[in-house]
Amino acid sequence: MQPAFRKVVIFGAGLIGGSFSLALRKAGAVGEVVGFGRSSATLEEARQLGILDRIGGDVAQEVCDADIVLLATPVAQMAEIFIRIAPHLGAHTLVTDGGSTKSDVVAAARAHLGNKIGQFIPAHPIAGAEKSGAAAALAGLYQGKKVVLTPLTENSKDAVARIRKAWQSCGAVVSELTPQQHDEVFAAVSHLPHLLSFALVHDLAQRDNREQLLSFAASGFRDFTRIAASSPEMWRDISLANRAALLKEVKRYADELYVVYQALENNDAAKLEEIFSEARKVRSAWTQQ
């Protein structure tokens, strides 16, 4: 039986791109996977791990007849990739991405894909991990996880359906938002938590007694700062790419933190309990969904 996608080309065969390949393979949904990247050593590792069938040499030759091209690099690198692939995209080749921000990626695609913009269907898989690289890729990474598509007005229904099918073949639950809605939502529930986690660890790291502090840190600290083990390069790019929405969220959090500060300063037990109780109620309801 012919696989749904005969050929997939991946730029960035790390956690996101590698897991996409492994999941499609497991589902029997892909015939061949070709990879491009900045490091030949990383690409060779991905080939040896069974993520790639081949390491790509000529972009024009590989993307012209691909069914899907996935951009799974840090978002700051995507504009350059759009420039490389734009002249060579086949008429039936669809492009998608795994970036954590959408408005900036869409702007880059519009700037560089020209009249082929309808072939780009932006996506964001909500399934990360602290570890990165090809060795971190998992066939089950997307199983039961959300993937958000942010279709463009230029996309045909068939094109969106094809990309939806690819992510669903990976086991993902697919939903849709506009690029702006996406960036506002994820500034609050993803980008801000990462910023706070990095900031707390950075604060402790600068203290003279940091070794003593960390020696007593337990599960609460571990849970809160787990995501500070994520890729600094990737989160630098995400933070700057979603700067406007993230600035608003940092300001809102600072205001909330000041409310807590005032409650402590005023020895206001009732206010602290009100804040903690409401937070606990919302958190408990969310985990039961």
Side-chain angles (χ1 to χ4, degrees):
M1 184 177 177
Q2 190 79 2
F5 306 100
R6 186 186 58 80
K7 179 181 179 182
V8 170
V9 174
I10 295 175
F11 285 83
L15 174 68
I16 298 301
S19 296
F20 184 75
S21 171
L22 292 176
L24 289 178
R25 286 187 186 286
K26 186 176 180 180
V30 66
E32 181 185 39
V33 181
V34 181
F36 288 90
R38 292 187 298 177
S39 165
S40 57
T42 298
L43 289 170
E44 179 56 31
E45 180 184 22
R47 191 187 65 78
Q48 292 181 4
L49 290 169
I51 291 170
L52 304 177
D53 293 294
R54 291 189 291 109
I55 296 171
D58 185 339
V59 168
Q61 180 181 328
E62 301 297 353
V63 304
C64 68
D65 63 346
D67 292 309
I68 294 177
V69 175
L70 171 68
L71 277 58
T73 65
V75 290
Q77 297 175 23
M78 291 185 184
E80 186 264 337
I81 297 173
F82 285 134
I83 293 171
R84 290 174 66 190
I85 67 175
H88 313 295
L89 289 177
H92 302 292
T93 301
L94 298 179
V95 182
T96 190
D97 76 307
S100 296
T101 53
K102 295 274 72 83
S103 296
D104 61 315
V105 176
V106 170
R110 289 192 184 283
H112 302 301
L113 291 184
N115 61 5
K116 297 179 181 178
I117 186 64
Q119 294 172 241
F120 175 56
I121 299 88
H124 176 199
I126 318 304
E130 302 82 62
K131 295 182 179 179
S132 57
L138 298 167
L141 183 69
Y142 303 119
Q143 194 67 43
K145 301 295 177 58
K146 290 184 178 179
V147 169
V148 180
L149 302 185
T150 62
L152 310 179
T153 55
E154 294 91 345
N155 295 150
S156 68
K157 288 183 178 180
D158 179 66
V160 175
R162 290 276 288 166
I163 294 301
R164 176 182 285 270
K165 180 178 181 180
W167 286 110
Q168 287 175 334
S169 297
C170 295
V173 179
V174 181
S175 58
E176 294 184 15
L177 293 171
T178 67
Q180 182 179 351
Q181 287 172 332
H182 170 280
D183 288 354
E184 290 172 351
V185 166
F186 286 94
V189 300
S190 176
H191 307 164
L192 178 65
H194 278 82
L195 205 69
L196 299 178
S197 183
F198 280 120
L200 175 60
V201 177
H202 184 260
D203 171 40
L204 297 186
Q206 296 178 88
R207 301 190 193 188
D208 292 338
N209 65 335
R210 75 175 190 176
E211 297 302 329
Q212 180 188 43
L213 292 169
L214 292 174
S215 73
F216 286 100
S219 58
F221 181 83
R222 184 178 295 108
D223 291 345
F224 184 72
T225 61
R226 175 182 60 81
I227 51 181
S230 303
S231 165
E233 178 189 24
M234 180 179 78
W235 282 99
R236 174 203 65 197
D237 291 348
I238 290 171
S239 297
L240 293 176
N242 204 21
R243 179 173 169 271
L246 190 50
L247 279 171
K248 291 178 182 178
E249 293 302 329
V250 171
K251 176 63 166 61
R252 287 178 69 104
Y253 190 83
D255 291 343
E256 177 70 15
L257 204 57
Y258 187 64
V259 172
V260 175
Y261 176 87
Q262 287 182 309
L264 283 170
E265 187 177 44
N266 298 329
N267 202 32
D268 190 342
K271 184 62 177 178
L272 285 174
E273 185 172 356
E274 174 195 332
I275 293 169
F276 297 166
S277 296
E278 178 64 17
R280 181 187 183 213
K281 181 174 70 175
V282 172
R283 175 63 162 71
S284 297
W286 172 70
T287 57
Q288 293 170 10
Q289 290 178 359

